[in-house]
Amino acid sequence: MLKFQPSYAIHDVVSIKLSNGDEIIAKCVAVDDKAITVTRPLLMILSQDPATGRPAISMAPFWMLGAEPTARYTINHDQTICILKSNTESTKGYITQTTGLAMPTGSGLIT
């Protein structure tokens, strides 16, 4: 029997590919062998950077636009193709989008 062992943890920002083809990014607040519960989900959209014309990733509200931003959404695993911990750049963009906080681009102390 296979044992469910996610590659992410509670409070991680995760990228979820849904069975309908949508890709969302959200904060994981609970997970078990049947479902993942997330908050503040955003739809990831491939777009074009207007300044450079190069491909870029945009984030847009997902699901219920009139719901509280901190509402929890439970997604059954049978509705997902893949769930992974988001990479650093996607996580920074998600945090900026959901909190308004600009994430630092370099390391070290600010002088």
Side-chain angles (χ1 to χ4, degrees):
M1 180 174 179
L2 294 174
K3 184 176 179 185
F4 176 72
Q5 293 182 321
S7 63
Y8 51 89
I10 305 301
H11 304 297
D12 280 346
V13 175
V14 295
S15 295
I16 304 170
K17 185 71 166 184
L18 299 174
S19 58
N20 69 357
D22 288 342
E23 185 172 342
I24 63 171
I25 187 167
K27 182 177 179 182
C28 175
V29 293
V31 65
D32 61 27
D33 61 339
K34 295 191 183 343
I36 182 171
T37 302
V38 298
T39 189
R40 297 183 183 267
L42 295 175
L43 180 65
M44 297 181 77
I45 304 167
L46 188 58
S47 60
Q48 186 175 6
D49 184 332
T52 64
R54 299 182 67 196
I57 295 176
S58 300
M59 296 178 196
F62 187 66
W63 269 321
M64 302 176 71
L65 300 177
E68 286 291 326
T70 56
R72 292 178 173 216
Y73 301 91
T74 300
I75 306 168
N76 293 330
H77 288 307
D78 62 354
Q79 297 300 313
T80 66
I81 295 172
C82 185
I83 305 172
L84 297 170
K85 183 175 178 179
S86 296
N87 65 33
T88 303
E89 285 303 311
S90 295
T91 299
K92 285 181 182 179
Y94 174 80
I95 291 170
T96 299
Q97 186 84 8
T98 57
T99 66
L101 298 174
M103 299 302 292
T105 55
S107 61
L109 295 174
I110 299 174
T111 57

